[in-house]
Amino acid sequence: METHGIMGGVNNVLEWITRLVLLNILWIFFSLLGFIVLGFFPATVAMFAVVRRWALGEMDISITEVFWRSYKKEFIKSNILGAVIVMAGTVLVIDYYFLQQASLQIQNLLSVPFLIISILFICVLFYIFPMYVHYDLKIAQVFKNSFFIMIMRPFSTIMIFVSSVGLAILLSFGPPLLLVCSGNIFALVMTKPAINAFNAISKKREMVMTKNLNEKDLINE
């Protein structure tokens, strides 16, 4: 039976809370199932696959079914993606400790470039998982396209960055909330702006292609 007014609003809120809690529990459980090392990235990809379906308006999906199907299908490929991310992050961490031990002159010379590269790396990460689940691409293409979209859609990138930082600060004040509000919330914050960015770039590309075809037809005439 449908509910309206205040009770309808309360019902919708409770449904969303239930969805988010279930998704976060699945993410944590399947990360642990793969002993974190092998489970974290497949579980994260599966979580983004569910959130992508929500962002596309598919609210009645079976969360468990979509999550499990994606987890199994993307287990190996997502771990390869994760290995690349971890290696890149490790290089940045090593560079950071190198700078800490370096002379003041070297720190002054390299600190700003290091900070810029680190911020770019973090911003690219915002698009990697939404890109991975939205398109069927090779790992190298996921990174390349994520980088270009991060550059081409600065407003979306800034919005995701600010929202993610704000959420991280809020969650730091309530650690118990991490059980129900952690990966799922960040996935929501990243996915919708990312998909909007993908669609905007696709439309722009289609407009350019149409324009070029029209110009070509005029020349042939």
Side-chain angles (χ1 to χ4, degrees), residues 22-34 36 43 67 178-180 182-183:
L22 174 59
L23 181 59
N24 211 55
I25 290 174
L26 288 171
W27 177 61
I28 294 172
F29 175 77
F30 280 93
S31 294
L32 295 175
L33 187 66
I36 299 181
F67 189 100
L178 293 176
L179 181 63
V180 294
S182 50

Side-chain angles (χ1 to χ4, degrees), residues 30-100:
F30 280 93
S31 294
L32 295 175
L33 187 66
F35 301 102
I36 299 181
V37 176
L38 294 177
F40 175 79
F41 287 101
T44 301
V45 164
M47 175 177 62
F48 273 87
V50 173
V51 174
R52 172 185 173 271
R53 298 282 291 273
W54 289 345
L56 295 176
E58 301 176 36
M59 308 306 301
D60 296 327
I61 60 170
S62 171
I63 297 172
T64 304
E65 181 182 343
V66 173
F67 189 100
W68 174 237
R69 186 168 62 243
S70 180
Y71 186 87
K72 289 190 298 181
K73 179 183 176 182
E74 305 296 340
F75 189 86
I76 295 176
K77 186 179 176 182
S78 62
N79 270 310
I80 295 173
L81 174 75
V84 176
I85 292 174
V86 169
M87 284 190 291
T90 301
V91 170
L92 287 176
V93 171
I94 292 173
D95 288 344
Y96 172 77
Y97 282 109
F98 168 77
L99 280 176
Q100 294 298 306

Side-chain angles (χ1 to χ4, degrees), residues 111-126:
S111 290
V112 173
F114 172 77
L115 181 62
I116 293 173
I117 292 172
S118 298
I119 292 174
L120 289 176
F121 174 70
I122 293 171
C123 290
V124 168
L125 288 181
F126 293 152

